[in-house]
């Protein structure tokens, strides 16, 4: 999406030597969510991926930027009865930052996607800023879903056969036929596990391994593309256009599912700017 020529890649986060990093004011990061997700095994710190937060805390402690934005799945808040959250907050505060956190949904910040994530905002203690004055961004009006479902990827016969399989399983048997679904103009059809879920004017959370999202347009069933997923994550259309033909659809779906919603990060960034403007 961006011109990264001459930008240095510092490699494996766990192996970064902080003395090699340039000075920076803001760190934005999402640490692996699989181990904390309500959908995952909830292994948490027992899984090596769950250790990334400690390396982020190390980088923050060594480099002392002015502020940070961190993101994770909402399940982190209740993981291990809140013990995991307490450990993370302790690590971040011990790194030299005052921290607040809140679960936000992308649905309230300018994209029709039901993506709930917990966001951590940290302010360097040396700045003597009262983090209680940080104002979480206010919700904005949700745009129409039809503005995002603009690609032309009709579900092929194989995909429709998979859909039929879902309709015939014990959970859904007798509820709908494919013909019934084709009459549900504008609806999102989400196949997960053995369940079929139907949404109106909103898309379920995009995940890196999800490719089962369908929708109905003009009496036909379409499969959500990686291009549309990028739009639903708030990436500007001109950027999504750049990669549509150069990156495989499956990889775009994975990248979109792993990304943070642009609108939310932008709103949080603006709230930080307002806090620092207050002097």
């Amino acid at each position: 999406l961006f011109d990264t020529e001459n930008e240095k890649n510092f490699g494996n986060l766990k192996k970064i030597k902080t003395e090699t990093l340039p000075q920076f004011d803001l760190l934005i990061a999402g640490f692996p969510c699989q181990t904390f997700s309500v959908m995952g095994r909830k292994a948490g710190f027992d899984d090596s991926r769950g250790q990334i937060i400690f390396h982020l805390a190390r980088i923050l402690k060594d480099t002392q930027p002015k502020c940070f934005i961190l993101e994770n799945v909402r399940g982190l808040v209740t993981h291990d009865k809140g013990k995991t959250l307490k450990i993370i907050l302790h690590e971040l505060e011990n790194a030299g930052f005052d921290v607040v956190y809140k679960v936000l949904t992308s649905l309230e910040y300018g994209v029709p996607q039901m993506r709930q994530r917990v966001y951590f905002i940290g302010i360097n203690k040396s700045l003597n800023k009262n983090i209680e004055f940080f104002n979480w961004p206010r919700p904005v009006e949700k745009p129409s879903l039809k503005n995002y479902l603009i690609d032309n990827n009709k579900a092929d016969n194989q995909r429709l056969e998979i859909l039929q399989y879902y309709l015939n399983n014990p959970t859904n048997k007798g509820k709908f036929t494919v013909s019934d679904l084709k009459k549900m103009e504008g609806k999102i059809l989400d196949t997960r596990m053995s369940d079929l879920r139907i949404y109106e004017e909103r898309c379920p959370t995009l995940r890196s391994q999800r490719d089962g999202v369908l929708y109905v347009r003009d009496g036909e069933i379409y499969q959500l593309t990686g291009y549309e997923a990028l739009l639903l994550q708030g990436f500007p259309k001109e950027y999504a256009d750049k990669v549509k033909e150069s990156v495989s659809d499956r990889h775009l779906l994975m990248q979109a599912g792993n990304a943070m919603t642009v609108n939310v990060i932008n709103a949080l960034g603006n709230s930080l700017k307002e806090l620092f403007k207050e002097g």
Side-chain angles (χ1 to χ4, degrees):
L1 295 180
F2 298 97
D3 180 6
T4 58
E5 187 176 355
N6 297 324
E7 286 191 8
K8 185 173 181 179
N9 184 340
F10 290 91
N12 190 326
L13 179 73
K14 296 180 180 181
K15 298 179 181 179
I16 286 179
K17 295 181 178 179
T18 51
E19 62 269 21
T20 67
L21 296 175
Q23 184 177 357
F24 59 94
D25 292 330
L26 168 65
L27 182 146
I28 302 176
F31 45 107
C33 63
Q34 297 94 328
T35 55
F36 301 122
S37 173
V38 292
M39 298 292 289
R41 294 181 290 109
K42 297 189 177 182
F45 293 125
D46 293 331
D47 187 314
S48 63
R49 292 171 301 182
Q51 306 296 326
I52 294 296
I53 183 59
F54 297 116
H55 291 279
L56 289 173
R58 172 180 62 85
I59 291 171
L60 287 167
K61 187 172 185 177
D62 289 352
T63 59
Q64 292 295 303
K66 292 180 179 178
C67 53
F68 66 73
I69 302 172
L70 300 181
E71 178 249 29
N72 210 292
V73 293
R74 65 185 176 94
L76 176 62
V77 176
T78 55
H79 181 267
D80 197 15
K81 299 180 180 180
K83 294 178 182 176
T84 298
L85 180 62
K86 287 182 179 179
I87 292 172
I88 289 172
L89 291 174
H90 173 76
E91 289 295 317
L92 296 173
E93 289 166 359
N94 189 53
F97 295 82
D98 293 318
V99 186
V100 290
Y101 68 91
K102 188 175 184 179
V103 174
L104 303 177
T105 174
S106 299
L107 199 64
E108 295 184 339
Y109 293 96
V111 291
Q113 183 197 169
M114 302 159 56
R115 189 181 193 87
Q116 289 186 309
R117 292 291 185 266
V118 59
Y119 295 90
F120 298 84
I121 301 297
I123 306 294
N124 198 304
K125 292 179 181 179
S126 68
L127 300 176
N128 295 317
K129 292 281 186 182
N130 189 342
I131 200 165
E132 296 303 320
F133 290 130
F134 175 80
N135 292 316
W136 292 96
R138 294 181 179 179
V140 299
E141 185 176 353
K142 176 177 66 63
S144 175
L145 182 63
K146 69 180 181 180
N147 297 330
Y148 296 78
L149 306 180
I150 59 175
D151 217 343
N152 192 32
N153 186 34
K154 285 186 182 180
D156 57 23
N157 289 334
Q158 182 180 9
R159 192 66 192 81
L160 292 176
E161 287 175 7
I162 295 173
L163 178 60
Q164 187 63 59
Y165 167 80
Y166 275 91
L167 296 178
N168 289 337
N169 71 30
T171 304
N172 302 305
K173 192 172 180 63
K175 293 181 180 179
F176 304 103
T177 65
V178 172
S179 295
D180 292 334
L181 296 178
K182 287 184 176 181
K183 297 174 184 177
M184 297 183 180
E185 185 66 23
K187 297 290 195 301
I188 289 272
L189 315 173
D190 182 24
T191 54
R192 59 165 79 186
M193 305 296 285
S194 62
D195 197 9
L196 170 70
R197 301 186 185 186
I198 300 174
Y199 300 93
E200 183 173 7
E201 276 301 318
R202 59 194 62 197
C203 177
T205 301
L206 298 170
R207 297 196 302 270
S208 62
Q209 300 302 323
R210 167 176 282 173
D211 56 5
V213 178
L214 306 169
Y215 63 89
V216 183
R217 188 176 74 204
D218 298 330
E220 297 287 349
I221 294 178
Y222 287 75
Q223 187 165 350
L224 188 79
T225 64
Y227 174 72
E228 291 166 322
L230 287 176
L231 299 180
L232 285 164
Q233 279 285 52
F235 288 93
K237 188 174 182 297
E238 58 267 29
Y239 291 150
D241 286 341
K242 290 181 180 180
V243 296
K244 183 178 180 182
E245 303 300 331
S246 58
V247 180
S248 73
D249 189 65
R250 187 160 190 82
H251 277 90
L252 282 182
L253 282 166
M254 291 176 65
Q255 291 173 12
N258 278 327
M260 302 180 199
T261 302
V262 174
N263 302 53
V264 179
I265 298 302
N266 184 62
L268 291 171
N270 285 332
S271 291
L272 278 169
K273 285 170 64 176
E274 289 302 315
L275 178 65
F276 280 101
K277 278 183 183 177
E278 293 173 3

